[in-house]
Amino acid sequence: MPSKKVFDSLLANGIRVDLCPYATYDSLANEDDFDALFSVLSGVRDSRGRPAVITANTIMTNPDFQKIEESEFREYGFEVFTESYQKYRSSFNPLEYYQQGMKAGIFYPQFHGREHLNIKEWMKQLRDPGSKYRKAFNEGVNWLGSKYNPRSGINLRATYDTNNSSDLDTQKAELKEGLDLFKEIFKMNSESFIAPNYIIHSDLNGTLKENGVQFIQGMKYQVFPKLGANKHEMKRRIQGGMNSSQQINLVRNCEFEPSQYSQTYDSVGECMKGINNAFLWKKPAIISAHRLNFIGNIHPENRTRNLKKFKELLSRATKKWPDIEFMTSVELGKLMSDR
């Protein structure tokens, strides 16, 4: 969501963006967002004296609205996320914060996809002048919430969702291009990956492996597109298990997502239960947390409220488990590989 003004405009035109937490809270992070988050992460230490660290799964590009409009919605164009910042926050360079966070050991980027958008389905929506997504396009917005997903059954946020086998070669090329962009910007290969909305065909794992991805992040179940049908199938993922491409599964078994629940929901207490359960079974605790929880550009109270909870979570965890160790997804994956 570009701004509060755009949010209010969409709402005034009958588009219920207020029903989706991502459309309500999420926006490009600003200086205050990074400073406040980094302060919380660096303010706590584990048993080895290391600060808390976030594996920052990064989408490399955003749609280039001008190019798409110039093509009369026939061709998709994209811009690297640093270019998006130049348009929306011209005085702010996010890479300086990435580098600062990496140097401090509190922020470690990994590849999440070239886009967080199903290009084929979105472009179909845009070619319909009467669609809500065409109206949103004029405001620089590409997501309105699951209420407005197309009838095809494909989620507009699920980049690698498809029901057509002919799409797989295109998706492989887009994956490689995204991984190349990651390497160019961050000067390293991404050794782990998580598919947007956790949906990806298993045929794409080979492309990931060929480009250096050894570890697959995700939830307890992997969602696979079912080609030839508007359906999906789910398969259980085992912590530390391997897929057919010999990549190790890293399974999220806890969550800290306060922006996705009511303010009365005990996000800290529930996450502590998840950590406790993981440790009880001698498993690593892998916490799912999305960017929208830490963004205050549109609603500053969202950032303030959630970072207070996040700080409480880290404080309680280090006190309850004094031998706790913080690590990135890649460090955890390598630890599993070594054993």
Side-chain angles (χ1 to χ4, degrees), residues 52-203:
V53 58
I54 281 182
T55 300
N57 296 311
T58 303
I59 293 292
M60 302 311 300
T61 74
N62 292 305
D64 186 323
F65 288 83
Q66 183 176 341
K67 286 183 181 177
I68 294 169
E69 188 170 20
E70 286 173 354
S71 77
E72 296 181 340
F73 306 101
R74 290 191 299 269
E75 296 179 11
Y76 178 78
F78 66 79
E79 62 193 23
V80 179
F81 75 92
T82 50
E83 296 175 305
S84 302
Y85 269 93
Q86 285 297 306
K87 290 182 178 180
Y88 290 94
R89 312 235 192 288
S90 57
S91 62
F92 176 52
N93 181 6
L95 288 183
E96 292 179 0
Y97 275 93
Y98 271 83
Q99 291 159 359
Q100 176 187 327
M102 292 170 71
K103 186 176 180 180
I106 58 177
F107 204 71
Y108 190 72
Q110 288 292 276
F111 182 63
H112 190 18
R114 198 187 74 178
E115 288 87 8
H116 206 311
L117 179 68
N118 194 288
I119 297 168
K120 186 176 179 180
E121 285 297 315
W122 187 55
M123 293 298 289
K124 282 182 185 177
Q125 294 293 311
L126 296 184
R127 285 190 281 272
D128 177 3
S131 76
K132 286 184 169 56
Y133 274 97
R134 181 70 168 266
K135 292 179 182 178
F137 179 93
N138 297 329
E139 299 276 14
V141 174
N142 63 53
W143 173 244
L144 300 173
S146 56
K147 174 181 171 65
Y148 299 105
N149 259 325
R151 292 180 179 178
S152 65
I154 292 178
N155 190 313
L156 284 180
R157 304 306 290 163
T159 311
Y160 308 109
D161 196 5
T162 183
N163 53 24
N164 194 328
S165 60
S166 64
D167 293 333
L168 296 181
D169 285 342
T170 300
Q171 292 180 353
K172 289 175 183 178
E174 290 169 355
L175 263 183
K176 186 176 186 315
E177 186 170 17
L179 284 159
D180 287 343
L181 280 171
F182 183 96
K183 186 176 182 179
E184 178 185 335
I185 289 175
F186 296 114
K187 312 305 179 188
M188 64 179 185
N189 285 324
S190 181
E191 295 178 77
S192 72
F193 167 77
I194 184 166
N197 283 66
Y198 320 113
I199 301 174
I200 191 167
H201 197 278
S202 57
D203 281 8

Side-chain angles (χ1 to χ4, degrees), residues 12 14 16 30 44 53 59 93 99 109 115 150 163 244 260 283 286 290 303 332:
R16 295 297 306 274
N30 59 29
V44 63
V53 58
I59 293 292
N93 181 6
Q99 291 159 359
E115 288 87 8
N163 53 24
S244 58
Q260 300 198 47
K283 303 287 186 182
I286 303 179
H290 284 79
R303 176 185 63 225
L332 176 59

